Amino acid sequence: MRARRTPLNLAVLSLLNEQPRHPYEMQSLIKERHIADVVRLRGGSLYDAIGRLLKLGLIEVSGTTREGARPERTVYAITEEGRAEILSLLREYVGERAEEYPVFGAGLAHLGQLPRDEAEELLRKRERSLAELTEFWANGLRDALASGLPRAVLLEVEYAQAMRQAELAWLREVLTDLPGMDWTGGC
């Protein structure tokens, strides 16, 4: 079942492997630990993932909590099968190379369909945006480490930063070479 092996399911299982939690706490930790930067989290997707994991027997309800006048919250815990699933997912995600199909690569494959000056303008726009983002995350990563967050929970942020830096260097090289490139001439 493909819906079983998703990055969001891995995030939920990983958080519950640390300790039982309710969904609001999981959502807060996903944001605080920057997991949301590498896992698609929209609307009710966390609750959908929890429902799938419950149905699959990878997590279970361990109780409820109530704080003050807030509504009662369901607390979930990981099962032994869920712990085995974490290891399986990690071995697959970290140990095996997967082909990924980002839209930027698809756009680059057909960039010659644009007039050269428009292509250059778009690449420069991306370069500026990427440079700002790279600087923002350099500061954010430094601050996160200085605040005491363990480096192990920030490895995906470090990886994303390394990918941004590599893309920025590549973009700058392409922009330097663009005037002399053969060009198909646009639409």
Side-chain angles (χ1 to χ4, degrees):
M1 170 185 246
R2 187 172 163 88
R4 175 180 179 140
R5 303 184 66 77
T6 68
L8 181 54
N9 285 355
L10 176 60
V12 171
L13 291 170
S14 182
L15 291 171
L16 293 179
N17 196 42
E18 295 172 3
Q19 68 182 48
R21 302 180 191 279
H22 53 77
Y24 180 78
E25 182 182 8
M26 286 186 256
Q27 190 166 17
S28 296
L29 286 169
I30 286 171
K31 290 177 184 171
E32 178 185 317
R33 294 181 183 178
H34 301 285
I35 297 167
D37 297 336
V38 294
V39 172
R40 184 170 295 164
L41 187 63
R42 292 184 283 194
S45 60
L46 177 63
Y47 290 94
D48 292 341
I50 289 168
R52 277 191 307 276
L53 294 170
L54 268 171
K55 193 183 288 188
L56 292 165
L58 301 176
I59 65 173
E60 61 192 7
V61 174
S62 70
T64 58
T65 62
R66 180 186 298 265
E67 293 178 22
R70 292 185 174 162
E72 197 170 75
R73 293 181 174 162
T74 303
V75 176
Y76 299 93
I78 194 167
T79 64
E80 284 306 313
E81 187 178 347
R83 284 186 179 85
E85 185 73 2
I86 289 173
L87 297 176
S88 175
L89 284 167
L90 285 171
R91 288 174 180 136
E92 176 186 333
Y93 287 8
V94 176
E96 298 174 19
R97 187 179 181 289
E99 287 300 321
E100 297 167 359
Y101 301 98
V103 295
F104 180 55
L108 289 173
H110 306 285
L111 192 63
Q113 297 300 310
L114 291 171
R116 185 191 314 256
D117 59 340
E118 184 178 356
E120 181 178 2
E121 180 183 322
L122 292 170
L123 291 172
R124 289 202 183 283
K125 178 181 176 185
R126 185 177 183 97
E127 177 201 19
R128 287 188 301 274
S129 173
L130 194 55
E132 288 173 13
L133 194 58
T134 301
E135 184 177 339
F136 172 82
W137 277 108
N139 295 330
L141 190 55
R142 186 186 61 248
D143 293 347
L145 290 169
S147 77
L149 267 177
R151 184 175 177 213
V153 301
L154 295 168
L155 289 176
E156 77 280 2
V157 178
E158 282 186 21
Y159 171 76
Q161 182 68 346
M163 295 298 101
R164 281 187 287 272
Q165 290 168 334
E167 181 183 335
L168 188 57
W170 177 83
L171 263 173
R172 288 175 172 160
E173 181 181 327
V174 167
L175 284 164
T176 299
D177 296 346
L178 193 66
M181 274 187 207
D182 289 337
W183 206 258
T184 58
C187 304

